[in-house]
Structure formats: structure tokens, C-alpha cells
């Protein structure tokens, strides 16, 4: 795993935006895995800028969302499909239909079938080339809460109180935050060819340190990144505050060969 400590969110956005632009130049038909929440916004802002400047095109690319709330109207501004349309698609040149999220409208067995269909769609697209990830203060990735199987696939999950409270800032009240979600599983996420996890702010420091330097455990879903051959963790200074090996990560990145990329 590579850990990169950057000065601030904007520097993280530029670094990861550059990696995505490089990927799309190498492989214009790349499949991106998109995260939501506040964390990926600097990356999306950087990609919008690069697209406007003609430095990158998404014209042949495809993308899959990590997760989605269950029970919100499709046009609710916090529905993740609506979030991605607003924060990324509106500013870059994905063709229509190129970005897909799990269909969370069916209920019962049909919802379970829809989760399987989502797995099939990712597989049929050739798998995800680069998956963006945030991390919850409880260590979740996607909406795989602590205790999620490290082999899990796309399925229905129940949010922890901690996650609902963390996300209440996006809603009018805590009561409005859905309890249920559909999320790619940890096993699904681990099949992406490159994982890029971002974390900003001191409130993420404990979770990201446990994920990177603690034991691999279902109770810290993000620790599953340790099982992946190409995982990059990009953090700002406050989020790096609890690493034991921070100096080593800084030294490694400072002396990284220029040709290597992320
Ligand atoms: P945030 O959420 O980006 O809004 O902090 C991250 C997450 O819960 O995965």
C-alpha cells in the first residue's frame, strides 16, 4: 500500500485528478468507480477543470457508483445518483448512460436480484480500473459497516448510528437520513484494479490509521485495502495525525521515481 500525505484537499484533488487523467489517456474506455460524500469533491473539481481545459475526456469512459441510499426519491439531492450527476457529470463529457448506480427501487427479492444485476453490469463492463473511496469515521468503505464480510458482494446494508449522525449534515434532520443502503461489497471493491482512498480532517485520523496500520479485520472494513496489490491512500496532514510510520510515508513519496505515477 502506498500512503501519500499532502498539504490539503486541493493538493489531493490535483494528485488523484492527474492519476485519473493519465489512466484515461492510456485507456480512454477505462471504467471508473465513483464515491460520493464530501471527500471526493476536490477530485471532481480537478477533473472538471481538466476537462474544460481539454486535458482529459470521458467520451469513451464508463463509471459505476459505490453505493446508494434506499428509500430516497430519485430526484432527492442526496440520492447518490443525483449527487454524481450534479458534482461530476454536469462538468465533464461522459456520454449519456455511461454512469450507472445500483437500482434501489425494487423491494424484496427484486432488490436482491437488482444487487446481482449490478455485479453483472460491473463484470460485463470489464471490471473497475480505478475505484475512488472515502472512509467513514467507523472505518467503513462504500457503506460496508464494521462487521461486513471481507468477501461481501453488492447487497442491502443497515447504516450504523455513527454513519447516520455523520451524514445528517447533508439532510434537514437525522430522521431524514435513510437507514438502509445498497453498497458494493468489500469483495466487489477488492476486484477493482487500483483502489484510491482519500481521507481529510482530524476526525478521520483514527479510522485511517487503523485501516492502514492495524490488523486486517471485518471490524475495520477499510483495512481490506491491505489485501489489495495496488492501493493508494491519500490524506491531508490532520488525517495523517495518528500514523506511526508517517515519516516513512513522506520519505517514500519524496523519493519516488518520477515515471512511476500513483
Ligand atoms: P465523507 O464520507 O466523504 O462525507 O466524509 C466518507 C464516507 O462515509 O465514506
Amino acid at each position: 500500500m502506498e500512503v501519500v500525505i499532502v498539504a490539503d484537499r486541493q493538493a489531493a484533488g490535483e494528485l488523484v485528478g492527474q492519476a485519473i487523467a493519465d489512466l484515461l489517456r492510456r485507456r480512454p474506455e477505462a471504467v471508473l468507480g465513483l464515491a460520493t460524500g464530501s471527500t471526493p469533491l476536490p477530485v471532481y473539481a480537478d477533473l472538471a477543470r481538466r476537462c474544460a481545459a481539454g486535458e482529459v475526456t470521458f467520451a469513451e469512459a464508463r463509471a459505476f457508483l459505490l453505493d446508494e441510499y434506499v428509500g430516497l426519491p430519485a430526484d432527492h439531492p442526496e440520492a447518490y445518483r443525483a449527487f454524481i450527476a450534479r458534482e461530476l457529470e454536469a462538468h465533464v463529457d461522459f456520454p449519456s448512460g455511461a454512469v450507472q448506480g445500483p437500482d434501489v427501487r425494487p423491494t424484496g427479492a427484486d432488490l436482491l436480484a437488482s444487487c446481482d444485476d449490478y455485479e453483472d453490469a460491473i463484470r460485463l463492463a470489464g471490471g473497475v480500473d480505478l475505484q475512488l473511496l472515502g472512509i467513514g469515521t467507523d472505518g467503513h468503505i462504500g457503506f460496508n459497516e464494521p462487521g461486513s464480510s471481507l468477501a461481501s458482494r453488492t447487497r442491502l446494508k443497515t447504516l450504523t448510528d455513527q454513519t447516520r449522525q455523520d451524514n445528517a449534515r447533508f439532510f434537514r434532520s437525522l430522521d431524514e437520513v435513510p437507514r438502509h443502503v445498497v453498497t458494493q461489497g468489500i469483495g466487489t471493491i477488492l476486484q477493482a484494479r487500483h483502489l484510491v482512498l482519500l481521507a481529510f480532517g482530524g476526525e478521520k485520523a483514527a479510522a485511517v490509521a487503523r485501516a492502514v496500520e492495524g490488523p486486517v479485520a471485518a471490524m475495520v472494513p477499510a483495512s481490506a485495502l491491505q489485501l489489495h496489490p495496488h492501493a493508494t491512500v491519500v490524506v491531508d496532514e490532520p488525517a495523517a495525525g495518528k500514523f506511526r510510520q508517517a515519516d516513512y510515508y513522506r520519505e517514500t513519496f519524496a523519493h519516488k521515481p518520477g515515471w512511476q505515477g500513483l
Side-chain angles (χ1 to χ4, degrees), residues 236-261:
D236 65 2
E237 291 288 346
K242 292 198 186 296
F243 285 138
R244 285 193 302 266
Q245 298 217 96
D247 289 344
Y248 175 62
Y249 305 143
R250 287 184 222 281
E251 185 179 332
T252 303
F253 191 66
H255 297 283
K256 186 172 181 170
W259 48 263
Q260 207 173 11

Side-chain angles (χ1 to χ4, degrees), residues 172-238:
R172 278 182 307 220
S173 70
L174 180 59
D175 284 346
E176 211 190 311
V177 184
R179 284 184 193 284
H180 291 122
V181 294
V182 165
T183 181
Q184 286 187 31
I186 298 173
T188 318
I189 292 168
L190 287 177
Q191 282 186 324
R193 287 180 269 280
H194 182 193
L195 302 181
V196 180
L197 183 144
L198 298 114
F200 305 127
E203 64 279 12
K204 297 287 176 77
V208 87
R210 289 174 75 204
V212 171
E213 297 180 339
V216 174
M219 286 307 286
V220 186
S223 67
L225 265 69
Q226 296 178 38
L227 300 170
H228 196 281
H230 189 187
T232 308
V233 174
V234 181
V235 294
D236 65 2
E237 291 288 346

Side-chain angles (χ1 to χ4, degrees), residues 45-77:
D46 184 79
L47 291 173
R49 184 190 60 72
R50 285 179 199 274
C51 198
E55 288 175 31
V56 67
T57 175
F58 295 77
E60 295 176 51
R62 299 189 57 182
F64 290 91
L65 269 61
L66 257 184
D67 46 16
E68 182 58 277
Y69 288 116
V70 173
L72 289 182
D75 60 352
H76 190 290

Side-chain angles (χ1 to χ4, degrees), residues 35-40 66-67 80 133-138 140-143 163 166-167 169-170 198 200 203-204:
T36 44
S38 54
T39 302
L66 257 184
D67 46 16
Y80 283 164
L133 297 164
I135 181 170
T137 57
D138 64 1
H140 70 217
I141 45 172
F143 271 138
T163 299
D166 287 349
N167 288 6
R169 67 190 193 282
F170 299 115
L198 298 114
F200 305 127
E203 64 279 12
K204 297 287 176 77

